[in-house]
Amino acid sequence: EAGVAQSPRYKIIEKRQSVAFWCNPISGHATLYWYQQILGQGPKLLIQFQNNGVVDDSQLPKDRFSAERLKGVDSTLKIQPAKLEDSAVYLCASSPDRVNTEAFFGQGTRLTVV
Amino acid sequence: AQSVTQPDIHITVSEGASLELRCNYSYGATPYLFWYVQSPGQGLQLLLKYFSGDTLVQGIKGFEAEFKRSQSSFNLRKPSVHWSDAAEYFCAVGAPGSARQLTFGSGTQLTVLP
C-alpha cells in the first residue's frame, strides 16, 4: 500500500513569510498527526485529527500555526508568520482507527527559516 | 505526564559488534512502547513495538527489545551490527488506547565503524 505522502520535501523561507505543508495519509486511516522535529530532538506532537475533527491541539502554537483536514483525508499545516525557531522537519503520520496499531510516518518536510 | 529518556546521545560501535540502546520512560501504568529508526532525510520507520504479553519483542532488521517494568526500561538490542544500521534511533511511549499519540525521546545517533 502507498505510504504517507508529504510535500514539499524542502522549503526555505524568510522570517515573517507564510508557508504551508500538505499531507496525504494512508488510504482509510482515520487518524492523522502532525509532528515537529527540531534538529537534535525527538518529534513533538503538534496536532491530532480523528477524521476531520481535532482531537488534540494543545501543543500547537495557535497564534501562528493552523491546520485543517478537510473531508477527513488530506491535511495542510500552515505557519503565518514564520519565525526562525520554526526551522524544523514537519512530519505527518497516520494510523487506522483501531487499537493496538502504530502510526505510519511520511518522509517529512524540512523547513528552513532565514 | 509521560516522558522518555534516552541517556546516550551518540554511540559508536564497530561493524559486527553487539549493540544496546537505552530507553527509560515515565508513565503511571504500563504504556505502549516503540522504537523507531530515522535515516538522514527520511521519515521514521518502526522497528518494533510492545503492547502487552511477552516482554521480549522481536522487530525488523534483527532488532529486539525487552520491556522491564521494574526498571521502567525498554532497551533496544542487536547481536551484530551492520554498517547500514547507522542512523538515529528514537524510543517512544504512548498511552494504552491512544498509542498513536506518541511522546518521543531525544534520540540516539548510531555510528558504525568498518
Side-chain angles (χ1 to χ4, degrees):
Chain A
E1 65 181 1
V4 176
Q6 291 188 245
S7 67
R9 288 294 311 278
Y10 306 92
K11 190 74 176 180
I12 301 175
I13 62 171
E14 295 182 349
K15 59 183 179 184
R16 292 188 290 274
Q17 285 187 324
S18 62
V19 64
F21 312 128
W22 174 82
C23 173
N24 181 233
I26 293 172
S27 178
H29 282 192
T31 309
L32 185 147
Y33 317 79
W34 283 101
Y35 284 84
Q36 179 193 55
Q37 185 179 16
I38 294 173
L39 186 64
Q41 300 180 18
K44 182 187 78 172
L45 180 71
L46 290 176
I47 188 168
Q48 177 185 349
F49 292 94
Q50 181 78 13
N51 296 308
N52 60 351
V54 175
V55 173
D56 185 351
D57 63 356
S58 58
Q59 299 190 77
L60 187 73
K62 300 181 186 63
D63 58 333
R64 297 182 301 105
F65 286 64
S66 64
E68 61 182 7
R69 190 182 184 195
L70 298 176
K71 302 180 182 179
V73 182
D74 294 5
S75 176
T76 57
L77 176 69
K78 297 180 182 178
I79 307 175
Q80 182 178 8
K83 293 184 176 181
L84 296 177
E85 59 261 36
D86 298 331
S87 295
V89 175
Y90 291 84
L91 295 164
C92 179
S94 69
S95 62
D97 189 19
R98 59 178 185 267
V99 296
N100 290 1
T101 59
E102 69 271 18
F104 296 82
F105 285 80
Q107 291 187 302
T109 296
R110 180 176 296 278
L111 173 67
T112 302
V113 183
V114 298
Chain B
Q2 58 204 39
S3 66
V4 178
T5 300
Q6 293 182 249
D8 303 306
I9 297 173
H10 194 177
I11 283 184
T12 300
V13 299
S14 297
E15 190 170 18
S18 63
L19 172 70
E20 183 169 27
L21 302 182
R22 296 183 291 167
C23 172
N24 292 95
Y25 67 89
S26 174
Y27 188 72
T30 299
Y32 287 2
L33 294 160
F34 305 81
W35 275 99
Y36 283 87
V37 61
Q38 186 176 40
S39 297
Q42 301 298 311
L44 297 168
Q45 181 184 22
L46 181 70
L47 286 176
L48 46 78
K49 59 192 176 187
Y50 173 80
F51 290 146
S52 65
D54 192 345
T55 56
L56 184 63
V57 294
Q58 302 296 321
I60 62 171
K61 303 184 181 185
F63 286 92
E64 67 177 26
E66 185 171 13
F67 168 57
K68 292 186 176 180
R69 186 192 311 273
S70 61
Q71 298 177 20
S72 297
S73 69
F74 189 57
N75 293 348
L76 181 72
R77 301 193 294 250
K78 187 170 185 179
S80 178
V81 171
H82 188 263
W83 64 266
S84 60
D85 293 325
E88 187 145 27
Y89 292 79
F90 291 95
C91 181
V93 60
S98 61
R100 292 76 55 89
Q101 188 182 107
L102 301 175
T103 298
F104 285 85
S106 55
T108 297
Q109 181 69 46
L110 174 66
T111 297
V112 181
L113 300 177

